[in-house]
Amino acid sequence: MILSKLALTLTESDINNGLTAAFAKMAETQGEMLKKVKEPKVTLKDGLLIFKCKASMGFMPLPIEAQLRLAPAQGGTALDVTLSKLSMAMMGGEAGATAAMGQIATAVAGKPGLSVNGNTLTIAISELAKLRGVALEGTLKDIAIVNGTIALDFS
């Protein structure tokens, strides 16, 4: 498959339906830890993708919130995902984001198409698409998060 142009708009509902299914599938194959993640949900507002969930740790669920900013990178051949804030219960903020990104950097080290610099995960879009047999001939021009939607312009 060759993809050279795409305009895609997703709603919070679209993302959350896929997120619920993905977490259920991953929990089946990737162990007990993911089964402890409850109520994963994405909210789209003010240019941010906000991920919230509850983690079952002991007798009380622990609320977790991550605020992510998405942007085209490397002339549109990559996507930057910047973790601007991570809160767990009443702890977190920028320091929590830095600690989490350190763990993500370790996890993606040596993986094709993924790299971390500071609090930003860079995803080489075409490199990852090749792993699925898709040739990308265009570039990511814009990502807009407005009024509960995310719009991607790939041309």
Side-chain angles (χ1 to χ4, degrees):
M1 175 190 308
I2 299 172
L3 180 63
S4 57
K5 191 169 193 163
L6 174 69
L8 177 67
T9 300
L10 298 168
T11 66
E12 288 175 354
S13 178
D14 296 329
I15 295 168
N16 286 317
N17 290 338
L19 189 62
T20 300
F23 265 80
K25 183 72 172 172
M26 287 187 301
E28 290 174 8
T29 60
Q30 297 184 15
E32 293 298 313
M33 194 61 178
L34 280 175
K35 290 180 182 176
K36 295 181 179 190
V37 176
K38 307 291 182 199
E39 303 174 30
K41 182 179 179 184
V42 166
T43 304
L44 303 167
K45 68 177 191 178
D46 301 328
L48 294 172
L49 184 148
I50 302 167
F51 172 80
K52 294 182 181 183
C53 69
K54 293 182 181 173
S56 297
M57 304 286 181
F59 64 93
M60 289 190 63
L62 176 68
I64 298 172
E65 178 179 310
Q67 293 185 4
L68 305 162
R69 192 166 301 281
L70 308 176
Q74 300 174 3
T77 63
L79 170 66
D80 275 351
V81 181
T82 302
L83 179 59
S84 56
K85 178 181 173 186
L86 177 66
S87 302
M88 296 177 2
M90 292 196 256
M91 301 178 292
E94 285 184 37
T98 301
M101 288 308 293
Q103 292 179 356
I104 291 171
T106 300
V108 303
K111 304 251 192 244
L114 301 172
S115 62
V116 173
N117 183 12
N119 284 5
T120 300
L121 169 67
T122 300
I123 302 166
I125 303 166
S126 61
E127 195 168 334
L128 292 181
K130 282 180 197 173
L131 296 174
R132 295 289 185 183
V134 176
L136 295 178
E137 294 182 346
T139 58
L140 183 60
K141 299 291 185 192
D142 188 37
I143 299 172
I145 298 176
V146 185
N147 299 327
T149 65
I150 183 169
L152 303 160
D153 178 12
F154 185 86
S155 55

